[in-house]
Amino acid sequence: MPMTLAEKILARASGNKEVAAGDYVTAKIDVAMAHEGAAWVIDELMKAGIDRVWDPERIVIMFDHWAPAPTELTATMHKKVREFVKKHGIKHFYDVKAGICHQIMHELGHVRPGELIVGTDSHTTTYGALGAGGTGIGTTDMAVVWVTGELWFRVPETVKFYIKGSLPKYVMSKDVILYIAGKYGTEVAQYKSVEFDGPTVKEMSVASRMTMCNMAIEIGGKFGLVAPDEKAVEYVKARTNKPFTPLYPDPDAVYEKVYEVDVSELEPQVAFPHSVGNVKPISQAEGIKINQAFLGSCTNGRLEDLAAAAEILRGRKVHPDVRMIVIPASRQVYMEALKAGILEVFLEAGAVICNPTCGPCMGTHLGLLAEGERCISSSNRNFKGRMGSPKAEIYLASPYTVAASAVTGEITDPRKLMGGKK
Amino acid sequence: MTTIKVKGRVWKLGDNIDTDVITPGKYLSLPMDQLKQHVLEPINPDFAKQVQPGDVIVGGRNFGCGSSREQAPRALKEVGVAAVIAESFARIFFRNAISIGLPVLICEGVSSAFDEGDVLEADLSTGEIKNLTKGTTLKAKPLPPMMLEILSAGGALELLKKKFAQ
Ligand code: SF4
């Protein structure tokens, strides 16, 4: 029977030759990722009186959501996790200096094609950019994984987005995924696996693919997958010596639906408050005044994102009424941006650069919003109250659009600012 | 077969109730007894005070979309919500709810079948949902036995503990 990529991954992980959408399987977990959520996993284990882990080599823990700790409570969470890490000999632990979980999982070789990876974070779908089945789970499920190394899964149906056409200048993969969320809705892949395919995806860098797979969860996806091509395999080989076996969907696999998206005429896109599906083309967003511009997060805090924003900000200034906050997604990105002179561009322009962390993305620290304020953000969610006051507004857009808007103080088409088309 | 029944007063919520609305990120590091005071605060600041143990939430589409934070279903359970029945759920919320022992059911048509304050009775093993106020009945897809087993143990860890003890 032909299988989709999700079916292949779950078949391998559950030791079955074949599985089909709708089956329930118990699968072995290759890697279990936990950020500060680890503290809650530890609480669950303590409550249940269980004090052991299945495999300290396969658990990866890092601090990113509250890094460095902004409050005493979060400092206490960190302390609890550090002690647990020592006690159980957790091999891969990254303290506050490393960066955002999904970025460092990729950069440091913890994501390998064909593997099944769970994380205490909904954006674990990002790992599909390398052809790994990454999905988010809660802390109770993670406690079960830490102890048994296994978890039940329902094998999902798959929807495919076949993307064609070359992206116009100043339009990025972020605009593509926002367009998809707007056009097909935030439930188009509810409980399903998403495969991104087509010539446009093949052209994309691994970083650009990560942005789309990251936001697969915003359209309901359990996985957001790109079949691993040479680019993906090279990326992984440069970062890990561990062997891996890439899996591919069968050419005659059965998809619940295939959507064809032509991006050759795509405008930059903006998600309006308070839903990721509330997307409009930039032409309908221009002129909305903003107070803050946030460039960062696991969606768009990589080097290519910072470089895109720097291209716009070079020789320009952030509008005096706007605070621009730049947060590289990891220490490595930070270092590369530093060496490439990109950080200098941001500082010259008047932006604030913070240490690699989630920052304001989920409203915990480093740039929250007051009542009535508006932020344009390169992150992935614009839910009510996510960045502070429930009476604030978050607009999601690409790094180009975030930077262009920071310069003018209102939502701005980067193509106009750069004197291009339109 | 495991039978799990719930009966309670209905709170109606709309579509796309996300996890930041259920448990806002800014309160997430608080201990549960404080965090639960803020449950659903962005849409109803008094929800935690007004909800009675046994009450049931009737939601629209895509209930619980957003983050993987387990605090969302847990905070609902902690303030006394006995079950969430919605037109559809975001996957992680649904999974987390089962794992922490909060009954959830997917039922098309449920939001138009209930008004706020109606009394609802549901049997999770058969999927039968009654509106006792209006005298109407709906049928949801029952939960698979594996999920019922987790729910009746009180959650995935409780089940694991039981298995270890055997
Ligand atoms: S950057 Fe934002 S979306 Fe990404 S892991 Fe951190 S809080 Fe979550």
Side-chain angles (χ1 to χ4, degrees), chain A residues 202-263:
Chain A
K202 295 211 167 72
E203 277 295 304
M204 282 179 190
S205 64
V206 168
S208 293
R209 294 174 191 177
M210 283 168 75
T211 303
M212 297 219 296
C213 296
N214 177 273
M215 290 191 67
I217 177 71
E218 307 309 331
I219 52 172
K222 172 176 193 151
F223 300 130
L225 298 163
V226 177
D229 60 1
E230 221 167 273
K231 239 185 250 180
V233 169
E234 284 311 308
Y235 181 100
V236 178
K237 281 194 176 150
R239 290 166 172 83
T240 177
N241 295 323
K242 285 217 179 111
F244 57 92
T245 316
L247 297 172
Y248 303 92
D250 290 319
D252 48 350
V254 181
Y255 293 94
E256 193 189 81
K257 199 136 192 204
V258 179
Y259 300 92
E260 224 182 85
V261 183
D262 186 343
V263 298

Side-chain angles (χ1 to χ4, degrees), chain A residues 64-65 100-102 121 123 214 297-298 358 361-362 380 386:
Chain A
D64 60 355
H65 280 55
I100 304 174
C101 55
H102 307 307
D121 191 281
H123 294 102
N214 177 273
S297 87
C298 57
C358 296
C361 175
M362 73 149 204
N380 47 35
R386 180 147 171 114

Side-chain angles (χ1 to χ4, degrees), chain A residues 139-141 152 187 190, chain B residues 61-62 70 88 91 95 99:
Chain A
T139 40
T140 295
D141 279 340
W152 67 265
E187 272 213 279
Q190 190 57 269
Chain B
R61 300 203 62 79
N62 206 16
E70 189 172 294
S88 70
R91 174 195 150 255
R95 171 164 202 132
S99 291

Side-chain angles (χ1 to χ4, degrees), chain B residues 75-155:
Chain B
L76 290 172
K77 188 181 175 194
E78 291 273 329
V79 294
V81 171
V84 182
I85 301 175
E87 302 277 338
S88 70
F89 285 90
R91 174 195 150 255
I92 308 181
F93 180 92
F94 189 81
R95 171 164 202 132
N96 281 341
I98 301 283
S99 291
I100 63 138
L102 172 69
V104 277
L105 267 183
I106 301 165
C107 181
E108 268 183 49
V110 71
S111 48
S112 48
F114 284 88
D115 289 313
E116 183 123 333
D118 285 357
V119 178
L120 175 151
E121 189 181 70
D123 182 333
L124 273 78
S125 41
T126 63
E128 193 172 81
I129 299 168
K130 288 188 187 144
N131 185 333
L132 299 181
T133 309
K134 295 193 164 64
T136 51
T137 303
L138 278 103
K139 188 92 169 94
K141 210 169 151 206
L143 292 174
M146 181 192 54
M147 293 188 196
L148 286 173
E149 191 191 2
I150 297 175
L151 280 178
S152 56

Side-chain angles (χ1 to χ4, degrees), chain A residues 75-146:
Chain A
T76 310
M77 280 169 74
H78 284 176
K79 181 170 173 224
K80 182 191 295 183
V81 176
R82 286 188 194 103
E83 287 167 1
F84 185 90
V85 162
K86 278 226 171 84
K87 178 168 178 203
H88 291 275
I90 305 293
K91 179 123 175 268
H92 305 289
F93 169 62
Y94 305 100
D95 213 312
V96 297
K97 65 179 180 289
I100 304 174
C101 55
H102 307 307
Q103 183 61 20
I104 60 185
M105 284 289 284
H106 280 80
E107 270 174 9
L108 303 177
H110 296 300
V111 178
R112 290 172 291 267
E115 297 198 341
L116 179 62
I117 308 177
V118 291
T120 55
D121 191 281
S122 57
H123 294 102
T124 305
T125 53
T126 314
Y127 312 165
L130 295 174
T135 198
I137 59 173
T139 40
T140 295
D141 279 340
M142 187 55 87
V144 171
V145 171
W146 279 13

Side-chain angles (χ1 to χ4, degrees), chain A residues 158-380:
Chain A
T158 296
V159 292
K160 186 197 275 209
F161 287 93
Y162 185 86
I163 304 166
K164 60 178 194 188
S166 32
L167 282 171
K169 182 84 180 126
Y170 299 117
V171 178
M172 304 178 80
S173 73
K174 175 64 160 288
D175 298 299
V176 178
I177 189 68
L178 286 177
Y179 173 78
I180 288 175
K183 169 138 193 203
Y184 301 101
T186 47
E187 272 213 279
V188 64
Q190 190 57 269
Y191 223 126
K192 292 171 197 154
S193 175
V194 180
E195 279 182 29
F196 295 108
D197 192 14
T200 319
V201 180
K202 295 211 167 72
E203 277 295 304
M204 282 179 190
S205 64
V206 168
S208 293
R209 294 174 191 177
M210 283 168 75
T211 303
M212 297 219 296
C213 296
N214 177 273
M215 290 191 67
I217 177 71
E218 307 309 331
I219 52 172
K222 172 176 193 151
F223 300 130
L225 298 163
V226 177
D229 60 1
E230 221 167 273
K231 239 185 250 180
V233 169
E234 284 311 308
Y235 181 100
V236 178
K237 281 194 176 150
R239 290 166 172 83
T240 177
N241 295 323
K242 285 217 179 111
F244 57 92
T245 316
L247 297 172
Y248 303 92
D250 290 319
D252 48 350
V254 181
Y255 293 94
E256 193 189 81
K257 199 136 192 204
V258 179
Y259 300 92
E260 224 182 85
V261 183
D262 186 343
V263 298
S264 41
E265 300 283 322
L266 192 69
E267 279 187 56
Q269 305 283 307
V270 179
F272 281 52
H274 298 283
S275 159
V276 184
N278 193 10
V279 175
K280 296 180 188 165
I282 187 105
S283 46
Q284 292 175 33
E286 281 168 304
I288 296 173
K289 292 250 179 299
I290 55 160
N291 309 93
Q292 179 165 304
F294 169 48
L295 176 67
S297 87
C298 57
T299 317
N300 282 125
R302 283 174 275 284
L303 190 66
E304 75 173 26
D305 304 314
L306 303 193
E311 184 186 335
I312 299 222
L313 286 169
R314 184 162 286 122
R316 294 193 169 85
K317 292 276 180 230
V318 171
H319 192 276
D321 295 339
V322 175
R323 354 189 255 262
M324 179 166 189
I325 295 166
V326 179
I327 306 192
S330 72
R331 181 182 173 82
Q332 219 172 78
V333 171
Y334 198 124
M335 187 71 94
E336 284 164 358
L338 180 76
K339 287 184 178 155
I342 290 172
L343 298 187
E344 200 178 324
V345 175
F346 293 139
L347 287 174
E348 289 280 356
V352 177
I353 304 173
C354 304
N355 65 295
T357 172
C358 296
C361 175
M362 73 149 204
T364 43
H365 62 158
L366 301 175
L368 305 200
L369 303 173
E371 184 173 330
E373 288 194 321
R374 271 195 214 110
C375 176
I376 189 154
S377 170
S378 73
S379 59
N380 47 35

